C-alpha cells in the first residue's frame, strides 16, 4: 500500500501521455510575465495567466495543475511588484481570480482522476471476466493449429454476444463451437456465458454432434425461460446462431452442424470453398425440441495444409462509410499461406481499416489449420 501511494503521488505530478506539453503552460507564464513587465503601462496581459492551469488540466495530474496555478499566481504577483501596482485593487482582484480559477482546475482534475481510477478498476474486472468467459483457444489440439479473434462493437468493451470454444474428446477429436447470441448488452453476455458453459460441460462426453446440439438447445431454453411467466414465453425469444464442428485427428475430414450460422470457409492453396451444408437447422433455442433426429451432420474434406475459417456475421456484414460490405471472401485467400495467428492479425487490421475503426456488431473469427501428425 505504501508503494502504491508513492506511485499515485508520483503520477499526479507527471504529465499524461504527452509530457512535452508541459512546455506550453510554462512558456505561457514566462512569456506573459516578460511581455507584461516590458509593455507600456496601459497594456495588461496578466489575465492571460489563467490559461496556464486550465491547459494543464488536459494532460497532467492534480499536483502538476496546482504547481502551474501557483506559478501563475507568483508571476502575477511579480508583475504587480515590478510595475509598482501590487497595492491596487485591480491587480489584487486579478490575483484573487487567478487563485480561484486554479483551485477550481485542481478540483476538476482530482474528480477526473478519481473517475479514471474507478474506470480502470471496472476495466480490470471486465478483463478478468472475459478471461473466464471467453477463454483463449488452445494454440494446438492434436494435428490442428488454432487461433481465435474477438472484436467488440462497443468501444472499450471487452465482452459481447459472439463466442467461441474448443474441447478435446476421448475419441481423439477436437470439437469447436462458434456462435452469435441474439441482442447485445448484459442479456447477450449472460446468454453467451450460458451457452459456453453448456458446451464446456458436455462437448467432451456427448457421443455425437446431434446429441451435443440437443443438449445445448435444451440447456439454453431451460435457463432463459425458467423464471419467465408463461404469458411471456413467446414475447421476447432468446436464441443464438451457432456452428458445431468435430475434427478427427486421424481422418482428414470435418463434421459439422450449422444452426442458422454462416458457413465456414475452407481455403486450400488459393482456392476458397464455402462449406455449405445441405440444410441449416434452427438456431440454438428453437431447434432442440425436435430431438436428435432433426440434426443432420455434414462431412467435408479437411486435409493436411488446409485452412478453415469460422466467423460470425459481424465480419461479413461490416460496412464502410459508403455502405459496402467487407469483402471477406476476397481478402481471405490472400492470407492462406500465413499461420492462423498472423492471418487473424492481418484480418483484424484490415477489417477495422474497412470500417474506419467502428464496428456496428461484434465480430469473432476462428482460424484452424490441419498439420501432419
Amino acid at each position: 500500500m505504501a508503494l502504491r501511494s508513492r506511485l499515485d503521488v508520483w503520477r499526479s505530478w507527471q504529465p499524461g501521455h504527452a509530457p512535452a506539453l508541459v512546455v506550453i503552460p510554462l512558456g505561457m507564464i514566462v512569456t506573459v510575465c516578460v511581455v507584461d513587465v516590458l509593455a507600456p503601462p496601459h497594456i495588461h496581459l496578466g489575465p492571460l495567466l489563467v490559461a496556464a492551469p486550465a491547459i494543464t488540466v488536459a494532460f497532467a495530474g492534480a499536483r502538476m495543475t496546482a504547481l502551474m496555478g501557483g506559478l501563475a499566481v507568483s508571476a502575477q504577483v511579480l508583475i504587480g511588484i515590478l510595475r509598482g501596482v501590487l497595492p491596487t485593487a485591480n491587480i489584487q482582484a486579478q490575483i484573487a481570480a487567478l487563485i480561484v480559477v486554479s483551485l477550481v482546475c485542481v478540483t476538476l482534475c482530482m474528480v477526473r482522476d478519481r473517475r479514471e481510477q474507478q474506470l480502470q478498476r471496472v476495466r480490470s474486472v471486465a478483463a478478468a471476466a472475459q478471461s473466464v468467459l471467453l477463454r483463449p483457444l488452445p494454440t494446438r489440439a492434436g494435428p490442428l493449429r488454432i487461433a481465435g479473434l474477438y472484436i467488440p462493437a462497443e468501444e472499450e468493451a471487452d465482452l459481447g454476444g459472439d463466442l467461441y470454444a474448443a474441447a478435446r474428446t476421448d475419441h481423439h477429436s477436437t470439437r469447436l463451437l462458434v456462435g452469435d447470441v441474439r441482442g447485445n448488452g448484459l442479456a447477450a453476455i449472460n446468454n453467451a456465458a450460458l451457452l459456453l458453459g453448456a458446451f464446456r460441460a458436455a462437448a467432451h462426453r456427448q457421443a455425437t454432434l446431434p446429441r451435443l446440439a440437443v443438449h445445448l438447445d435444451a440447456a439454453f431454453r431451460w435457463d432463459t425461460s425458467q423464471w419467465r411467466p408463461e404469458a411471456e414465453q413467446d414475447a421476447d425469444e432468446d436464441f443464438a446462431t451457432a456452428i458445431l464442428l468435430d475434427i478427427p485427428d486421424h481422418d482428414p475430414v470435418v463434421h459439422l452442424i450449422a444452426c442458422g450460422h454462416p458457413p465456414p470457409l475452407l481455403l486450400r492453396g488459393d482456392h476458397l470453398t464455402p462449406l455449405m451444408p445441405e440444410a441449416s437447422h434452427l438456431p440454438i433455442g428453437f431447434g432442440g425440441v425436435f430431438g436428435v433426429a432433426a440434426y443432420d451432420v455434414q462431412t467435408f474434406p479437411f486435409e493436411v495444409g488446409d485452412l478453415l475459417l469460422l466467423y460470425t456475421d459481424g465480419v461479413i456484414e461490416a460496412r464502410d462509410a459508403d455502405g459496402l460490405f467487407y469483402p471477406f471472401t476476397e481478402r481471405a485467400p490472400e492470407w492462406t499461406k500465413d499461420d492462423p495467428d498472423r492471418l487473424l492479425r492481418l484480418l483484424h487490421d484490415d477489417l477495422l481499416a474497412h470500417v474506419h475503426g467502428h464496428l456496428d456488431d461484434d465480430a469473432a473469427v476462428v482460424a484452424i489449420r490441419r498439420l501432419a501428425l
Side-chain angles (χ1 to χ4, degrees):
M1 291 296 292
L3 177 60
R4 180 177 299 178
S5 62
R6 291 192 187 99
L7 289 174
D8 291 339
V9 170
W10 173 250
R11 292 191 189 102
S12 69
W13 284 94
Q14 297 302 302
H17 298 294
L21 292 179
V22 73
V23 175
I24 297 176
L26 283 175
M28 179 174 293
I29 291 173
V30 173
T31 301
V32 170
C33 188
V34 171
V35 173
D36 209 353
V37 170
L38 300 178
H42 63 280
I43 297 177
H44 302 282
L45 299 182
L48 293 178
L49 290 170
V50 73
I55 292 174
T56 309
V57 172
F59 61 86
R63 285 178 170 81
M64 180 62 73
T65 303
L67 175 61
M68 290 301 165
L71 291 176
V73 171
S74 300
Q76 187 71 283
V77 172
L78 179 62
I79 291 172
I81 293 174
L82 294 178
R83 300 190 66 167
V85 293
L86 185 61
T88 64
N90 183 40
I91 195 68
Q92 291 178 0
Q94 292 182 27
I95 294 173
L98 187 54
I99 293 174
V100 171
V101 171
S102 298
L103 291 175
V104 170
C105 290
V106 171
T107 302
L108 292 176
C109 194
M110 293 174 65
V111 172
R112 181 203 62 193
D113 291 347
R114 186 177 295 111
R115 290 187 176 180
E116 287 182 351
Q117 293 173 3
Q118 293 173 346
L119 180 59
Q120 185 60 38
R121 287 193 291 269
V122 170
R123 287 175 177 169
S124 65
V125 171
Q130 184 190 32
S131 66
V132 174
L133 174 60
L134 199 63
R135 300 173 190 169
L137 292 172
T139 56
R140 189 72 184 262
L144 306 179
R145 183 75 180 269
I146 306 173
L149 169 67
Y150 174 73
I151 310 175
E154 296 184 15
E155 192 173 351
E156 301 295 339
D158 291 313
L159 301 171
D162 287 10
L163 56 97
Y164 49 72
R168 289 287 290 173
T169 68
D170 294 335
H171 51 278
H172 304 292
S173 71
T174 302
R175 284 183 173 169
L176 293 108
L177 164 70
V178 175
D180 184 359
V181 174
R182 172 187 178 273
N184 49 42
L186 292 177
I189 294 172
N190 178 71
N191 289 338
L194 164 65
L195 194 56
L196 287 168
F199 175 82
R200 289 167 181 152
H204 66 286
R205 59 183 175 83
Q206 294 293 344
T208 64
L209 279 185
R211 290 186 180 276
L212 177 58
V214 170
H215 171 80
L216 296 181
D217 188 277
F220 192 86
R221 285 187 292 109
W222 174 80
D223 192 89
T224 55
S225 63
Q226 63 172 323
W227 304 117
R228 187 180 299 168
E230 292 186 5
E232 299 180 8
Q233 290 295 318
D234 298 326
D236 185 23
E237 297 94 344
D238 294 304
F239 65 88
T241 65
I243 190 160
L244 290 168
L245 292 88
D246 187 276
I247 307 176
D249 291 351
H250 302 284
D251 194 5
V253 297
V254 54
H255 308 293
L256 67 86
I257 291 178
C259 300
H261 201 76
L265 302 179
L266 179 68
L267 291 95
R268 180 173 296 160
D270 296 331
H271 185 66
L272 182 147
T273 304
L275 301 186
M276 298 291 297
E278 295 179 0
S280 181
H281 303 91
L282 292 173
I284 299 295
F286 293 150
V289 293
F290 300 109
V292 174
Y295 290 100
D296 295 323
V297 179
Q298 302 292 309
T299 301
F300 299 91
F302 185 38
E303 301 175 357
V304 173
D306 289 352
L307 183 70
L308 194 62
L309 290 178
L310 314 172
Y311 54 94
T312 60
D313 58 10
V315 177
I316 57 177
E317 294 180 359
R319 297 172 182 261
D320 63 9
D322 298 324
L324 299 177
F325 290 111
Y326 178 66
F328 186 42
T329 56
E330 298 176 12
R331 301 288 175 82
E334 300 176 4
W335 307 316
T336 304
K337 297 180 181 179
D338 294 300
D339 64 83
D341 286 313
R342 175 172 169 74
L343 185 151
L344 293 188
R345 288 196 298 269
L346 293 172
L347 172 61
H348 174 274
D349 296 340
D350 194 51
L351 178 60
L352 291 184
H354 179 79
V355 298
H356 303 289
H358 178 70
L359 284 171
D360 293 327
D361 191 12
D362 299 336
V365 185
V366 175
I368 309 167
R369 186 182 294 280
R370 181 185 281 277
L371 305 175
L373 281 171

